[in-house]
Amino acid sequence: MLYNYFEPMDNYDPSTNEYDVIFVGGGAGGRFGSTYFRAMGGKQLTIDKDGHLGGKCPKNACVIHHYLFDIAVELDLARILDDKKWYPKLPTGTGKVEIVPMIEDYLKGRDEAYDVMYYQSKNQLNLEFILNREAEIVDKNTVIVDGKTFKTKNLVIGSGSRAAIPNVPGKELSGVYSYADFLELDYEPKDVVVVGASKTGMPWASFFNAVGCNTTMIDMNPFLTAFNLDDEIKEYIIDGMKLRDMNLMDNTTLSSINGNGHVESVTVVRKDGSKETIKADMVFVGTGCIPNSEIAVPLGVEIGGSNEIVVDSHMKTSVPGIYAIGDVTGGPMEMWKARKAGMVASKNILGMEADLDITSFPDFLHTTYEITWVGMTEKEAREKLEKVFVIMMPIKDYPGHCPIPLAERTMLLSHIHPGLNGMQKAIYDGETRMLLGAQHVGYGAKDSFQYLDHLIRNGVTIDEMANMNELFLNPTHYIQLSRLRAGMKSLVDLT
Amino acid sequence: MLYNYFEPMDNYDPSTNEYDVIFVGGGAGGRFGSTYFRAMGGKQLTIDKDGHLGGKCPKNACVIHHYLFDIAVELDLARILDDKKWYPKLPTGTGKVEIVPMIEDYLKGRDEAYDVMYYQSKNQLNLEFILNREAEIVDKNTVIVDGKTFKTKNLVIGSGSRAAIPNVPGKELSGVYSYADFLELDYEPKDVVVVGASKTGMPWASFFNAVGCNTTMIDMNPFLTAFNLDDEIKEYIIDGMKLRDMNLMDNTTLSSINGNGHVESVTVVRKDGSKETIKADMVFVGTGCIPNSEIAVPLGVEIGGSNEIVVDSHMKTSVPGIYAIGDVTGGPMEMWKARKAGMVASKNILGMEADLDITSFPDFLHTTYEITWVGMTEKEAREKLEKVFVIMMPIKDYPGHCPIPLAERTMLLSHIHPGLNGMQKAIYDGETRMLLGAQHVGYGAKDSFQYLDHLIRNGVTIDEMANMNELFLNPTHYIQLSRLRAGMKSLVDLT
């Protein structure tokens, strides 16, 4: 392994200290922005306080999230198929599975992931970078690291975000975690309360539940309000969690975390104003992130109401020559946005006008399912358009559960527990026959939703969809379901 | 359940016996063709000798294939992660898992799948059909079922295909199976020889191996010759099977199956002419399919050298008014081809000229991995074009295995067994910057390859790819890997 956690991991030409651009922060945005800039022929330097590139994603966010999701799905399946003598069995019978050894295995692998990013950034992408040291920003053209001065024509700030912890009594107790310190877990929780049914809260709660913890999830709003999904899809997701014995409390606010040194319980306020105390030896907070904009305040850039650096679609801040990218510019705090923002900033710095368009994008969420969506919901479409055409599986009026696999690797579930094998729909404009949006609960749709987003953005009709070549069994049946209706001049819902 | 296995499952208007078209065979092609025809306003009747629509796919082909694949993946993972005390365990320690109970569970679910297809065909698609009875084709305008005469203006034959069994001594022994009778398995095989490293042989061999049978796979050619994959992808697939202790013998011909009533061994001839006898209590034959064209011979339609009904791109046979669709027209014997052929035949019958284009399409294959490909290989591209640009993961020169997940639900594998987490590449024209092809080993790419096929066919550049919105962790990293290079005027391989 080339990567060394404890040493400076620098790669820059010491013969000069002048750059076209310095990226402060080598996360998703900084790394991709730097790469694009370098690829276009510009001279960049990327500085990160952590000992690796890639930012929080490999450190403690998306990667551990997916690692836990992978495990949760497998444990969930083992529980569901426990009566099948040919299916793998929970290692603990039906009991709780230990979490700490999973984390230990994760941490071993993480260093190797850092190593690949280091190798790629240095050997393939030829980036110049300084890692494991703080950048002291003197002014927009001057950055000091370890007493050494670096001069730059442009500054790009990609300082990321941090977990937002609700300001309630007891938040400092041991046993209160967010994604940011989850990897420090050193005991086996039994009763977990997850605060926030968010993109972080949902998968972590599902993981704790699959592992065998008594799991409660609370949210101040109705569940899934923030996600652009139709009601029957939301219902399917929530029902799936209930079926797995998760304790779900929506319209519920965290009032206090109680304990003596360590968490012992949580007090919440229900919608009707009543208080309830829930036993807990762990609290996991998934209530969003705060942009790390403090580093930019002395530069005089405009800071918004959510602590974000305000940028235009060119990623320009209010101060000429200073750009900002990624989570520090506020939501959506997504990988694609950070990376593309890096690309857009780089193009603009080099005089190629480019815009970051965040008006529509594909999105996803994990429970023990993968949930993906893009474009308009049926509800939105029906509000805006005269004639809307919808295809959906399972079939609404079919008497019983629909034993057709609606996701990848659910041929098994569809034959044994057909109610658990997913849900999907697609929404068309019935007049123009254009695809407007799609939603999927299951597995294996994430990759295609990227391309569906592109196709919707550029326009694709049901007739073009019907003429594509499906790969049976495709997780989304949009092509063949479209073909079942495309012969019609006036489209009739297939739901 | 509406579906009744033993009774006629008819749905047609008894007040007339005249149709625009009769589909003989209600498989993938017949069902979709009928639906398209009906949707366009035509009057159709679909007749199938089996008691269900959908043909061999739900009966004994694609569906059981995927069901066994799902199980194989889970058993494989349980074996790989056996040393992790938090991962589900094989139900038998490390021993062989029983197959017969899996089949019993499958068969219970299959009837419910038939039921949904029946419900959908009748209630949603309003098809007219006669099931569970043979169609006697008198002439191209006359079909008799159960003594009742049906008249039609056009005839569409979709009579499918059957397993091709090599004509060797011992082929009639008990213990010799193909996909077509695998569901009749009533004992637990220990030593299995799979003949043919085909789209059927590969997944079945991988299944037997994952279950814990001693598994040998033979093929008369070098492995994977028939598949449009680059050498390093083929190598990764084959290495993956070897690593899992499968006994692989390529360039090897089946000479005889030996036994006294039941299979006891198999004799093969190696490339160098030497004979070898392999112990076996089961032989699984995956040597392709033969079109069921016999039904059409009396009609005088042209039959090709592979027993297929010869059709043009309109699905017209050599006899006006007779069309043929699906497997009976020869390879590729794929779901999409059958379904689209049904649509194309229907359009042409109703005077809308339409062609079935089979010159390029996305494709897939299962081992314990999902393998997907579309478009040109690197080899093909380099033969045809001046300048070719390739992106690939894992990184070729990286010292060690690349711990970046290259497929869905492999964040786990990538952290614990990074060599097992997949492989992927994309091929661009370095001059025009157009995407030419892609290949993937892993999970979760099947759905997106459908859309990549469409995009390649219609033209998509690396710059458009770089500007798409990825959903991290996407099984294929094509969008972000493209973005890492798209800044370059002259593209440099990223492999």
Side-chain angles (χ1 to χ4, degrees):
Chain A
M1 192 152 68
L2 308 166
Y3 174 77
N4 180 328
Y5 200 88
F6 304 101
E7 296 295 318
M9 300 289 292
D10 296 350
N11 186 55
Y12 67 95
D13 174 4
S15 70
T16 176
N17 70 341
E18 292 187 11
Y19 297 89
D20 295 322
V21 62
I22 289 180
F23 287 83
V24 175
R31 203 168 86 92
F32 271 73
S34 302
T35 302
Y36 210 90
F37 198 84
R38 181 87 182 85
M40 288 193 295
K43 185 155 177 70
Q44 55 66 233
L45 179 68
T46 306
I47 306 167
D48 201 286
K49 65 177 169 34
D50 280 330
H52 59 92
L53 289 161
K56 70 155 78 168
C57 164
K59 185 181 180 184
N60 55 23
C62 345
V63 174
I64 178 69
H65 159 164
H66 280 78
Y67 177 88
L68 299 179
F69 170 71
D70 286 359
I71 296 174
V73 174
E74 297 299 340
L75 296 179
D76 182 53
L77 283 170
R79 287 181 195 277
I80 290 170
L81 296 164
D82 185 48
D83 62 329
K84 299 299 166 197
K85 66 175 178 173
W86 43 267
Y87 197 81
K89 297 280 153 279
L90 270 200
T92 52
T94 54
K96 183 177 159 291
V97 181
E98 283 184 35
I99 300 173
V100 173
M102 298 174 191
I103 295 180
E104 287 165 359
D105 286 317
Y106 173 78
L107 289 173
K108 281 177 221 155
R110 189 178 66 170
D111 280 1
E112 299 194 37
Y114 289 166
D115 193 53
V116 171
M117 299 186 94
Y118 174 75
Y119 178 91
Q120 187 189 55
S121 302
K122 184 180 170 194
N123 297 42
Q124 293 193 307
L125 308 176
N126 304 122
L127 299 185
E128 299 200 44
F129 52 80
I130 295 175
L131 302 180
N132 243 349
R133 257 83 46 81
E134 290 281 352
E136 184 196 334
I137 304 175
V138 179
D139 58 46
K140 68 181 187 178
N141 303 114
T142 316
V143 176
I144 297 179
V145 182
D146 267 355
K148 183 166 176 184
T149 300
F150 298 88
K151 300 298 287 183
T152 184
K153 292 178 192 138
N154 300 276
L155 191 64
V156 180
I157 297 172
S159 45
S161 63
R162 60 185 180 271
I165 309 293
N167 192 18
V168 295
K171 70 178 161 61
E172 72 296 338
L173 287 173
S174 110
V176 179
Y177 289 86
S178 72
Y179 76 88
D181 53 6
F182 174 74
L183 293 169
E184 292 161 25
L185 185 74
D186 56 2
Y187 68 103
E188 291 297 332
K190 279 185 193 149
D191 302 291
V192 182
V193 173
V194 173
V195 182
S198 62
K199 279 194 179 185
T200 305
M202 296 283 278
W204 250 277
S206 301
F207 166 76
F208 289 124
N209 195 60
V211 156
C213 298
N214 299 315
T215 306
T216 301
M217 184 168 64
I218 70 167
D219 197 281
M220 55 196 293
N221 296 310
F223 287 135
L224 301 172
T225 308
F227 305 113
N228 208 30
L229 296 163
D230 278 315
D231 285 346
E232 72 269 28
I233 300 276
K234 290 183 182 177
E235 210 171 292
Y236 185 85
I237 299 164
I238 298 301
D239 284 354
M241 299 178 98
K242 283 184 189 160
L243 208 80
R244 288 161 173 87
D245 288 328
M246 207 183 293
N247 182 25
L248 298 180
M249 303 169 86
D250 60 356
N251 295 302
T252 299
T253 311
L254 180 66
S255 169
S256 66
I257 305 171
N258 320 308
N260 190 357
H262 194 86
V263 175
E264 286 163 21
S265 69
V266 156
T267 303
V268 299
V269 182
R270 305 304 301 265
K271 196 180 188 176
D272 63 5
S274 66
K275 283 203 170 191
E276 201 165 313
T277 294
I278 308 156
K279 187 180 161 196
D281 56 2
M282 178 176 188
V283 173
F284 184 89
V285 177
T287 47
C289 288
I290 303 172
N292 293 327
S293 60
E294 292 77 7
I295 192 175
V297 172
L299 294 164
V301 302
E302 186 187 346
I303 306 293
S306 305
N307 210 44
E308 82 282 12
I309 300 180
V310 176
V311 288
D312 65 13
S313 65
H314 291 190
M315 314 321 298
K316 288 178 179 160
T317 68
S318 61
V319 177
I322 304 181
Y323 297 74
I325 58 176
D327 286 6
V328 76
T329 64
M333 294 188 185
E334 299 293 345
M335 180 64 95
W336 65 265
K337 198 200 75 174
R339 288 168 166 174
K340 283 181 67 177
M343 176 175 77
V344 166
S346 290
K347 283 183 172 178
N348 282 296
I349 289 170
L350 287 178
M352 288 174 62
E353 195 174 310
D355 288 284
L356 182 71
D357 175 11
I358 56 169
T359 50
S360 79
F361 49 88
D363 213 347
F364 82 100
L365 168 75
H366 281 152
T367 58
T368 47
Y369 292 97
E370 169 195 284
I371 300 134
T372 40
W373 63 95
V374 64
M376 275 192 212
T377 59
E378 179 182 351
K379 189 158 176 267
E380 266 181 288
R382 293 209 188 275
E383 279 163 12
K384 285 180 191 160
L385 299 165
E386 196 73 15
K387 211 177 143 197
V388 173
F389 162 70
V390 177
I391 53 181
M392 185 172 149
M393 277 286 215
I395 300 169
K396 275 183 188 167
D397 294 333
Y398 176 72
H401 291 303
C402 197
I404 305 289
L406 301 172
E408 180 181 85
R409 278 156 65 184
T410 58
M411 194 59 91
L412 191 53
L413 278 183
S414 78
H415 277 73
I416 295 172
H417 291 286
L420 303 180
N421 69 7
M423 182 176 261
Q424 53 185 259
K425 66 190 289 187
I427 299 107
Y428 284 94
D429 183 332
E431 208 67 58
T432 63
R433 303 171 77 88
M434 303 299 278
L435 182 63
L436 302 173
Q439 297 163 60
H440 187 264
V441 184
Y443 311 96
K446 221 194 242 179
D447 216 55
S448 65
F449 269 63
Q450 306 173 134
Y451 301 114
L452 284 171
D453 171 55
H454 174 83
L455 290 169
I456 290 173
R457 203 182 285 271
N458 289 276
V460 64
T461 66
I462 188 171
D463 307 289
E464 288 174 291
M465 288 288 284
N467 208 32
M468 292 184 192
N469 303 321
E470 68 268 35
L471 286 180
F472 184 84
L473 171 84
N474 37 358
T476 69
H477 303 198
Y478 302 138
I479 295 175
Q480 61 263 42
L481 291 176
S482 296
R483 193 180 299 131
L484 287 177
R485 280 300 193 236
M488 292 181 160
K489 275 206 183 102
S490 183
L491 298 165
V492 176
D493 281 354
L494 187 68
T495 57
Chain B
M1 193 151 67
L2 308 166
Y3 174 78
N4 180 328
Y5 200 87
F6 304 101
E7 296 294 318
M9 300 289 292
D10 296 350
N11 186 55
Y12 67 96
D13 174 5
S15 70
T16 177
N17 70 341
E18 292 187 10
Y19 297 89
D20 295 322
V21 63
I22 289 180
F23 287 82
V24 175
R31 203 168 86 92
F32 271 73
S34 301
T35 301
Y36 210 90
F37 199 84
R38 181 88 182 82
M40 288 192 296
K43 185 157 177 70
Q44 55 65 233
L45 179 68
T46 306
I47 306 167
D48 201 286
K49 65 177 169 34
D50 280 330
H52 59 91
L53 290 161
K56 70 155 77 168
C57 164
K59 185 182 180 183
N60 54 23
C62 345
V63 173
I64 177 69
H65 159 163
H66 280 78
Y67 178 87
L68 299 179
F69 169 71
D70 286 359
I71 296 174
V73 174
E74 297 299 340
L75 297 179
D76 182 53
L77 284 170
R79 287 182 196 276
I80 291 170
L81 296 164
D82 185 47
D83 61 330
K84 298 298 166 197
K85 66 175 179 173
W86 43 267
Y87 197 81
K89 297 280 153 279
L90 270 200
T92 53
T94 54
K96 184 177 159 291
V97 181
E98 283 185 36
I99 300 173
V100 173
M102 298 174 191
I103 295 180
E104 288 165 0
D105 285 318
Y106 173 78
L107 289 173
K108 281 178 221 155
R110 189 178 66 170
D111 280 2
E112 299 194 39
Y114 289 167
D115 193 54
V116 171
M117 299 186 93
Y118 175 75
Y119 178 91
Q120 187 189 56
S121 302
K122 185 180 171 195
N123 297 41
Q124 292 192 308
L125 308 176
N126 304 121
L127 299 185
E128 299 200 45
F129 52 81
I130 295 175
L131 302 180
N132 242 350
R133 257 83 46 81
E134 290 281 351
E136 184 196 334
I137 304 174
V138 179
D139 59 45
K140 68 181 188 179
N141 303 113
T142 316
V143 176
I144 297 179
V145 181
D146 267 355
K148 182 166 176 184
T149 300
F150 298 88
K151 300 298 286 183
T152 184
K153 292 178 192 139
N154 300 276
L155 191 64
V156 180
I157 296 173
S159 45
S161 63
R162 60 185 180 273
I165 309 293
N167 192 18
V168 295
K171 71 178 161 58
E172 72 296 338
L173 287 173
S174 111
V176 179
Y177 288 86
S178 73
Y179 76 88
D181 53 6
F182 174 74
L183 293 169
E184 293 161 24
L185 185 75
D186 57 2
Y187 68 103
E188 291 297 332
K190 279 185 194 149
D191 302 291
V192 182
V193 173
V194 173
V195 182
S198 62
K199 279 194 179 185
T200 305
M202 295 282 279
W204 250 277
S206 301
F207 165 76
F208 289 123
N209 195 60
V211 156
C213 298
N214 299 314
T215 306
T216 300
M217 184 167 65
I218 70 167
D219 197 282
M220 54 196 293
N221 297 310
F223 286 135
L224 302 172
T225 308
F227 305 113
N228 208 30
L229 296 163
D230 278 315
D231 285 346
E232 71 269 28
I233 300 276
K234 290 183 181 177
E235 210 172 292
Y236 185 85
I237 298 165
I238 298 301
D239 284 354
M241 299 178 98
K242 283 184 189 161
L243 208 81
R244 288 161 174 87
D245 287 328
M246 207 183 293
N247 182 25
L248 298 180
M249 303 169 85
D250 61 356
N251 296 301
T252 299
T253 311
L254 180 66
S255 169
S256 66
I257 305 172
N258 319 309
N260 190 358
H262 194 86
V263 174
E264 286 163 20
S265 69
V266 157
T267 303
V268 299
V269 182
R270 305 303 300 265
K271 196 180 188 178
D272 62 5
S274 66
K275 283 203 170 190
E276 201 165 313
T277 295
I278 308 156
K279 187 180 162 196
D281 56 2
M282 178 176 188
V283 173
F284 184 90
V285 177
T287 46
C289 288
I290 303 172
N292 293 326
S293 60
E294 291 77 7
I295 192 175
V297 172
L299 294 165
V301 303
E302 185 188 346
I303 306 293
S306 305
N307 210 44
E308 82 282 12
I309 300 180
V310 176
V311 288
D312 65 12
S313 65
H314 290 190
M315 314 321 297
K316 288 178 179 160
T317 68
S318 60
V319 177
I322 304 181
Y323 297 75
I325 58 176
D327 287 6
V328 76
T329 65
M333 294 188 184
E334 299 293 345
M335 180 65 95
W336 65 265
K337 198 200 74 173
R339 288 169 167 174
K340 283 181 68 178
M343 175 175 78
V344 166
S346 291
K347 283 183 172 177
N348 282 296
I349 289 170
L350 287 177
M352 287 174 63
E353 194 174 310
D355 289 283
L356 182 71
D357 175 11
I358 56 168
T359 50
S360 79
F361 49 88
D363 214 346
F364 83 99
L365 168 74
H366 280 152
T367 58
T368 47
Y369 292 97
E370 169 195 284
I371 300 135
T372 40
W373 63 95
V374 65
M376 275 192 212
T377 59
E378 180 182 351
K379 189 158 175 269
E380 266 181 287
R382 294 210 188 274
E383 279 163 13
K384 286 180 190 159
L385 298 166
E386 196 74 14
K387 211 177 143 196
V388 173
F389 162 70
V390 176
I391 53 181
M392 186 172 148
M393 277 286 215
I395 300 169
K396 275 182 189 166
D397 294 333
Y398 176 72
H401 291 304
C402 197
I404 305 289
L406 301 172
E408 180 181 85
R409 277 156 66 183
T410 58
M411 194 60 91
L412 191 52
L413 278 183
S414 78
H415 277 72
I416 295 171
H417 292 285
L420 304 180
N421 68 7
M423 182 176 261
Q424 53 185 259
K425 66 190 289 188
I427 298 107
Y428 284 94
D429 183 333
E431 208 66 58
T432 64
R433 303 172 78 88
M434 304 298 278
L435 182 63
L436 301 173
Q439 297 163 60
H440 188 264
V441 184
Y443 311 96
K446 221 193 242 179
D447 216 56
S448 65
F449 269 62
Q450 307 173 132
Y451 301 114
L452 283 171
D453 171 54
H454 174 84
L455 290 169
I456 290 173
R457 203 182 285 271
N458 290 276
V460 64
T461 65
I462 188 171
D463 307 288
E464 288 174 292
M465 288 288 284
N467 208 32
M468 291 185 191
N469 302 322
E470 69 268 35
L471 285 180
F472 185 85
L473 171 86
N474 37 358
T476 69
H477 303 198
Y478 302 139
I479 295 175
Q480 61 263 41
L481 290 176
S482 295
R483 193 180 298 132
L484 287 177
R485 279 300 193 235
M488 291 181 161
K489 274 204 183 106
S490 183
L491 298 165
V492 176
D493 282 355
L494 187 69
T495 57

